[in-house]
Amino acid sequence: MTSDFRGAAHGVADMLADYLDGLPDGTVWAPMPSDARTGLLTRPLPEEGADLGDLVAAIGAELLPYPMGNGHPRFFGWVNAAPAPAGILGAFAAAAMNPSSAGGDHADVHLERTVVRWLAELVGFPHPPGGGLLTSGGSMATIVALAAARNRAAAGLGVNVREDGLAALPPLVGYVSTETHSCVRKAAELLGLGSRHLVTVPGDGAGRLDPLALRERIRADRAAGLVPFLVAGSAGTVNAGVVDDLGALSDVCAEEKLWLHVDGAYGAFGRLDPEAAPRYAGLERADSLALDPHKWLGVPVDCGCLLVRDAEQLRGTFSLVPPYLRDDAAGGLGWFSEYGIEQTRPFRSLKVWATLAAAGRAGVVRDVSRCCGLARELGRMVAQAADLELLSPVETSIVAFRWAPADADEETRHRVNAALGVAVQERGRAFVTGTVLGGREAVRACLLNATTTEDDLRVLLDEVRAAAAGLR
Ligand SMILES: *Cc1c(COP(=O)(O)O)cnc(C)c1O
């Protein structure tokens, strides 16, 4: 059995090294041939087991040829990174150890405390003992944060939500921007807050939450008998990479005693780029910050992270362990499962540790800065092109733009841009995704891959033009 494993594992290593080496020369993404798709969909449950070597061969033949595309240097879609090689190794080793990182005294639990601290140090967020945990992603980090925010607000009204439920509460109101990620709404719905009680505060053209409008709306809501409790700011919007004025939002939240949650799932690591860094001032004053190491850092999916100022808010929200039974092995912090929803938890910290240790702080800074620099360059190329229009200033590593030649009317522009992302994808040489920004159809390129070159940016714009010509 172990000798089988050894041989097959070497086979996997060779196969994956060839796969990763070959990615930049191949098609970025292509629709799956229908027989390959059908083969996967209709595969019967085998009666007898297979040899490990045959499984490796099947992975190579039936799965590796059909990737999502995000390992390629010209993949600019959504917010999906190429996997860091060290992170791949970390994921492999973590599976071999296969602990549950719920808690206890084993390596994975202690390593998670350290990588959470490292992540906090990287983005410049305070890190009290127990003030964070790894999650499946930004969405889960947001659910955990908003649950703690909700329970704190309820406690302020004398209600224990855990015992009494929501019926004992007046509507709690949260404030978001036009560009807030959908996961905030999902969390509010799930937590019984009601998306109707998430108020969209008007912003500037880039969708930045306007602190003055926010303050006015909070006061009006209080006067109407509602209970404001939360502001959700963005440290990098998914459409355009725009960072809210986090200092101003912190001021409002401090004065009004509201919970400030900052969504840094895409963009918090952008703070490491010296040019972008000043935009993040105030991030360290948030009550909670959601991060996604599985995005910009390239930690293999899945890995999100939630950081909080006050660890007791999390433990008070999720722990079902009575204080007299708490396990003090980890300096009184207890188990990770007391700070979130998951009980059995995967060993995510090993792939984070491996990714960060292989790059070093300096390596992460270099890669993040390179991505931001490439995005600024792409922004300049778009701004200088007569047939393209930059739709938002480039603040981090996302560039939102549209095809808009002078001789095309708005209706044609709308029609072409609405189909442009998919048309570029189907050509196979670059991958961007479409969006709607300020009511206009657009495409957006998200730069997360430090091996992308300026030539790749030129190819992207050539592909956009060629795809647009075809659609026109
Ligand atoms: C990706 C993303 C999320 C959601 O995180 P998941 O890891 O996909 O759950 C939330 N906010 C922003 C800005 C994102 O980019």
Side-chain angles (χ1 to χ4, degrees):
M1 145 78 192
T2 52
S3 66
D4 264 12
F5 176 78
R6 190 180 306 276
H10 281 292
V12 167
D14 286 336
M15 181 175 80
L16 295 184
D18 289 343
Y19 164 76
L20 293 169
D21 281 347
L23 278 180
D25 304 322
T27 301
V28 181
W29 170 82
M32 282 188 70
S34 64
D35 55 336
R37 187 188 306 120
T38 306
L40 292 178
L41 286 170
T42 60
R43 181 175 280 268
L45 173 68
E47 186 58 33
E48 302 296 336
D51 177 78
L52 292 189
D54 291 343
L55 292 182
V56 173
I59 294 169
E62 294 165 52
L63 300 171
L64 288 186
Y66 312 112
M68 177 180 175
N70 51 323
H72 195 286
R74 283 194 301 277
F75 183 92
F76 307 108
W78 303 291
V79 190
N80 294 95
I88 300 171
L89 298 180
F92 187 48
M97 288 183 76
N98 201 34
S100 166
S101 298
D105 185 20
H106 23 102
D108 50 293
V109 175
H110 305 306
L111 190 64
E112 182 162 340
R113 300 248 178 244
T114 286
V115 302
V116 169
R117 173 171 56 79
W118 286 8
L119 292 168
E121 284 174 17
L122 276 176
V123 298
F125 193 80
H127 186 57
L133 76 171
L134 300 180
T135 63
S136 57
S139 302
M140 179 57 85
T142 304
I143 290 168
V144 172
L146 265 54
R150 179 196 67 182
N151 289 15
R152 185 180 79 170
L157 299 168
V159 174
N160 179 341
V161 176
R162 298 187 64 178
E163 284 179 10
D164 302 329
L166 296 168
L169 278 178
L172 300 178
V173 180
Y175 301 88
V176 299
S177 73
T178 54
E179 293 298 308
T180 299
H181 192 273
S182 57
C183 74
V184 173
R185 175 170 173 162
K186 226 186 217 182
E189 291 177 0
L190 180 67
L191 291 165
L193 297 166
S195 59
R196 195 144 56 83
H197 303 300
L198 274 188
V199 173
T200 302
V201 178
D204 58 18
R208 218 181 314 263
L209 227 162
D210 175 358
L212 289 178
L214 171 65
R215 206 184 295 259
E216 274 171 27
R217 184 64 198 249
I218 292 169
R219 298 208 169 136
D221 285 347
R222 278 203 211 283
L226 301 171
V227 182
F229 86 112
L230 171 87
V231 174
S234 299
T237 58
V238 72
N239 271 338
V242 167
V243 181
D244 276 329
D245 184 345
L246 300 173
L249 298 188
S250 307
D251 288 340
V252 173
C253 288
E255 279 165 36
E256 300 285 345
K257 300 203 167 27
L258 307 188
W259 182 291
L260 176 59
H261 174 71
V262 173
D263 180 354
Y266 149 64
F269 297 108
R271 195 176 204 181
L272 294 167
D273 170 43
E275 263 191 63
R279 303 186 196 286
Y280 292 81
L283 175 110
E284 60 286 342
R285 292 169 62 199
D287 292 286
S288 54
L289 173 64
L291 303 176
D292 255 343
H294 68 204
K295 288 181 174 164
W296 213 332
L297 297 183
V299 171
V301 174
D302 69 4
C303 189
C305 178
L306 177 67
L307 301 172
V308 293
R309 296 189 78 75
D310 181 357
E312 273 312 304
Q313 294 292 342
L314 282 193
R315 201 174 189 182
T317 300
F318 293 102
S319 178
L320 284 167
V321 182
Y324 59 89
L325 280 183
R326 285 181 183 169
D327 172 7
D328 278 346
L333 296 176
W335 283 37
F336 281 110
S337 50
E338 292 178 63
Y339 294 77
I341 293 169
E342 294 167 286
Q343 181 63 38
T344 302
R345 301 174 70 251
F347 188 1
R348 298 186 180 103
S349 60
L350 185 47
K351 56 193 179 182
V352 182
W353 170 79
T355 301
L356 292 179
R361 186 180 198 285
V364 177
V365 170
R366 194 176 52 235
D367 287 355
V368 165
S369 303
R370 175 166 171 79
C371 292
C372 291
L374 284 166
R376 286 190 289 267
E377 178 57 27
L378 180 61
R380 275 191 290 273
M381 291 161 70
V382 168
Q384 282 163 12
D387 55 343
L388 302 173
E389 181 184 1
L390 188 64
L391 293 179
S392 185
V394 180
E395 297 199 347
T396 49
S397 79
I398 295 177
V399 184
F401 62 101
R402 67 173 187 157
W403 172 85
D407 64 346
D409 59 24
E410 267 309 312
E411 200 196 314
T412 307
R413 292 173 176 183
H414 180 89
R415 181 178 59 77
V416 168
N417 283 292
L420 191 51
V422 170
V424 170
Q425 292 166 21
E426 285 174 346
R427 294 172 56 85
R429 295 188 66 220
F431 195 110
V432 283
T433 40
T435 191
V436 176
L437 193 63
R440 290 186 290 190
E441 294 287 344
V443 292
R444 55 179 281 294
C446 178
L447 287 109
L448 299 176
N449 188 330
T451 71
T452 298
T453 63
E454 292 192 9
D455 275 343
D456 290 326
L457 303 181
R458 280 186 276 278
V459 172
L460 167 64
L461 295 187
D462 289 347
E463 288 298 296
V464 164
R465 291 189 171 105
L471 290 166
R472 189 175 196 177

